[in-house]
Amino acid sequence: MAEEKPTNWWATLPGLLTAAAAVITAVTGLLLGLGQLGVFDAGRPAASTASASGTASPGASAGTVQPGAGASSSGSGSGSGTGNGAEWKVTLPAERTYRAADVEYEILSASARPDVSGKIALTLTLRCTNHGRYDLNFWDSTFRLNVSGVSYSPDPGLNELVAGDSSKSGDVRFTVPADTREALLRIKFAEGESSARLAVTPP
């Protein structure tokens, strides 16, 4: 009887499956190792650079829109209506505080610029101090502006209550002719009236 030869391990199905699994495991391990070493990231820097440059571009664009000089010149040009948005000079009198009884007004500042209607918008910032015990009405009806013999009332907007023994500031705005160079601010009190002379100078 002939002696049987042992079957080759590679020729069996379990052997083939085991060998395939070993090869897959080895290849997977090799790929993971190469990935950790950054071999497969060689093509990514270009994409990162492109992305970074794409991010920088919108930033640069926004920076050209937001500068204060550009924004202010654009806004003043549209607001002036005459193409000249520069503020005019308003000269205030040396005496800027006016009082009658418990009511006191102080002119803090003044500005003027061309209005969209072709006139001048003259804005006065005033502080009202109530030296009395009861609330005081701080409103634009207290003021008038005389220009060339004509009395102008302020544009509506200021209407505040000032508590006793306290102060509050507010703006009073007049719209006057474009050729205004001198004006007289009249402040009306219950016991009388005070006045302050203003000079308006174009830029």
Side-chain angles (χ1 to χ4, degrees):
M1 184 174 182
E3 183 180 353
E4 291 185 2
K5 294 182 180 180
T7 304
N8 190 352
W9 180 77
W10 291 96
T12 64
L13 180 60
L16 291 175
L17 293 176
T18 302
V23 172
I24 292 173
T25 302
V27 172
T28 303
L30 178 62
L31 293 175
L32 289 175
L34 293 175
Q36 291 178 353
L37 291 175
V39 173
F40 300 110
D41 295 337
R44 292 185 183 179
S48 300
T49 305
S51 175
S53 64
T55 304
S57 176
S61 174
T64 57
V65 175
Q66 296 175 354
S72 63
S73 64
S74 169
S76 60
S78 61
S80 66
T82 60
N84 181 9
E87 288 195 359
W88 296 21
K89 179 180 178 181
V90 180
T91 304
L92 300 175
E95 177 58 46
R96 302 182 187 181
T97 303
Y98 308 89
R99 177 173 177 174
D102 293 334
V103 186
E104 180 181 298
Y105 295 101
E106 180 182 359
I107 306 174
L108 300 178
S109 63
S111 63
R113 65 190 313 133
D115 187 74
V116 291
S117 62
K119 297 183 178 181
I120 296 176
L122 194 155
T123 303
L124 298 166
T125 301
L126 299 105
R127 178 189 292 127
C128 174
T129 300
N130 181 4
H131 295 282
R133 298 174 54 189
Y134 305 104
D135 290 353
L136 171 71
N137 201 0
F138 177 32
W139 59 349
D140 41 38
S141 294
T142 304
F143 309 96
R144 292 291 184 270
L145 194 70
N146 280 21
V147 177
S148 300
V150 179
S151 181
Y152 294 88
S153 61
D155 302 335
L158 178 62
N159 191 359
E160 301 281 349
L161 278 180
V162 183
D165 194 21
S166 64
S167 300
K168 187 174 289 189
S169 299
D171 290 339
V172 179
R173 182 177 184 267
F174 295 91
T175 302
V176 294
D179 59 353
T180 299
R181 298 297 179 266
E182 291 184 358
L184 186 70
L185 175 67
R186 293 165 47 212
I187 305 172
K188 299 186 292 181
F189 296 97
E191 296 81 4
E193 183 177 295
S194 295
S195 60
R197 191 167 298 278
L198 315 174
V200 182
T201 307

